[in-house]
Amino acid sequence: MIRERLHDHAVLLHRQGKDDPLPAGGEPFPDDQRPRTPIGRDARRVGADVAAILDAHFASPAAAPRALIGAFDKVYVPATDNEHVAAAALRAGRKRVRRTGRWLVRFGVDRREVAVGLALLGTEATVSDKDIELIRTIGLLSAEFGALAVESLRQRGDAGVEALLWLAARTTGWGRVHAVEALCTVAVLPEVRDWLLRHACAGDDLDAVIAGAVATAAHLHAAIIADEADDELVDHTGALLRAMADGSAQGTTLADYPPARYVLAAYARHLARQKPTWARYATAAVIADRIAHLEPEDLGCTKKERERLVERFEKILRQRRWRATVPRRKAKASKAKARSAARRRTARRR
């Protein structure tokens, strides 16, 4: 039975998706499902058995990369950078390491083989443009290879940055988190800062993990307080603020973000002149509700200043043109909730 190469699997899904992020990070994969957790092992030894296999392989000058097919079936292969694997690569010749890594990534039919190939390429100081394309393509299978691909690309200069931007825009989940975090380290580059300010959030729960880092690295406060701000910037600012408002223990919260008060005020100012939509209404409503329950000192302001900030949002959302965006079913539920709250307040007074 001929097994599908994982690289071909990534290419096929990418073409079918027409540049959209791969659903579920490329899962299910065409190889067999095998456990990836090193149960009961000393963390310091994880990767040592992989290194031993590589040492034996590189010790034979005539051994071709294809000889490693199936070699890792009974060992745990780390899905992140590993010092033992890196040391094995350093003990071998650079050209051979690069050729072996390239072959395993391109032709591997098992996740462990491809992960080893990625790790080998990641140890190389210089790789070709074709290698970078190979790394970013396999990185589309972000559920499995996102961390390794990103770690390799972040060391590749301008070509690596371009590949990271490409990959971040086409992944979701933790793969996107790894890519965005890497981009935050080079946010001084104009093209990176522009992308982070407008596209970093994927619209899922993991936005809370990256929101604070993105806001800080991309200098969100400087961008949003400007007199002019495009709709993409304003909408994404709302996504970042909502993620920080919802973040709890996952990442930076509004209480941990020093410019929060000023960014919130600037966002409300820009929101007031935007075209009303349900998505914008929902985002602003969530943000207003969260800041209404924050302690004033968490926002670096007085109680009155916090109340005025909440009122700015509520004044916008009370406008008829904004209320008209609320789906009828949701509007009925909101009215029923308001009536219930009013009855409870009346009962308490009695």
Side-chain angles (χ1 to χ4, degrees), residues 80 142 145-148 150-151 154 164 173-183 210:
T80 57
S142 58
F145 306 118
L148 277 170
V150 166
E151 191 58 36
R154 71 191 303 170
L164 281 172
W174 284 104
R176 188 185 185 96
V177 169
H178 294 311
V180 169
E181 289 177 339
L183 288 169
I210 61 171

Side-chain angles (χ1 to χ4, degrees), residues 6-216:
L6 288 174
H7 179 272
D8 293 343
H9 177 65
V11 171
L12 177 62
L13 291 179
H14 176 54
R15 288 174 178 169
Q16 291 175 342
K18 299 179 180 179
D19 256 8
D20 291 332
L22 302 191
E27 295 182 308
F29 297 108
D31 64 342
D32 295 334
Q33 296 295 326
R34 295 186 175 95
R36 292 297 304 267
T37 305
I39 300 173
R41 298 190 181 190
D42 183 345
R44 295 170 298 181
R45 295 291 300 165
V46 170
D49 42 8
V50 177
I53 293 171
L54 289 173
D55 283 338
H57 174 79
F58 290 132
S60 174
R66 68 176 63 253
L68 288 171
I69 293 297
F72 308 103
D73 283 358
K74 296 182 180 180
V75 301
Y76 170 75
V77 176
T80 57
D81 275 359
N82 181 270
E83 59 183 6
H84 296 292
V85 177
L90 291 174
R91 288 191 288 269
R94 291 180 57 185
K95 288 185 179 180
R96 193 167 179 208
V97 166
R98 186 162 57 247
R99 181 165 59 91
T100 302
R102 183 186 300 140
W103 193 94
L104 288 173
V105 173
R106 178 63 185 84
F107 299 105
V109 296
D110 183 275
R111 276 171 276 184
R112 285 162 293 203
E113 298 160 4
V114 175
V116 171
L118 263 177
L120 291 176
L121 284 178
T123 65
E124 283 299 292
T126 58
V127 293
S128 67
D129 290 343
K130 288 185 177 181
D131 289 335
I132 289 177
E133 183 177 356
L134 190 66
I135 293 167
R136 76 172 194 181
T137 299
I138 204 67
L140 289 171
L141 304 181
S142 58
E144 192 73 24
F145 306 118
L148 277 170
V150 166
E151 191 58 36
S152 181
L153 291 174
R154 71 191 303 170
Q155 306 172 37
R156 309 302 176 190
D158 291 345
V161 170
E162 184 179 347
L164 281 172
L165 286 168
W166 185 92
L167 187 59
R170 292 162 178 81
T171 52
T172 57
W174 284 104
R176 188 185 185 96
V177 169
H178 294 311
V180 169
E181 289 177 339
L183 288 169
C184 283
T185 65
V186 289
V188 65
L189 300 174
E191 66 274 21
V192 174
R193 180 173 182 247
D194 286 347
W195 188 89
L196 289 172
L197 286 172
R198 292 166 175 82
H199 305 293
C201 289
D204 56 33
D205 291 342
L206 291 180
D207 287 346
V209 178
I210 61 171
V214 170
T216 302

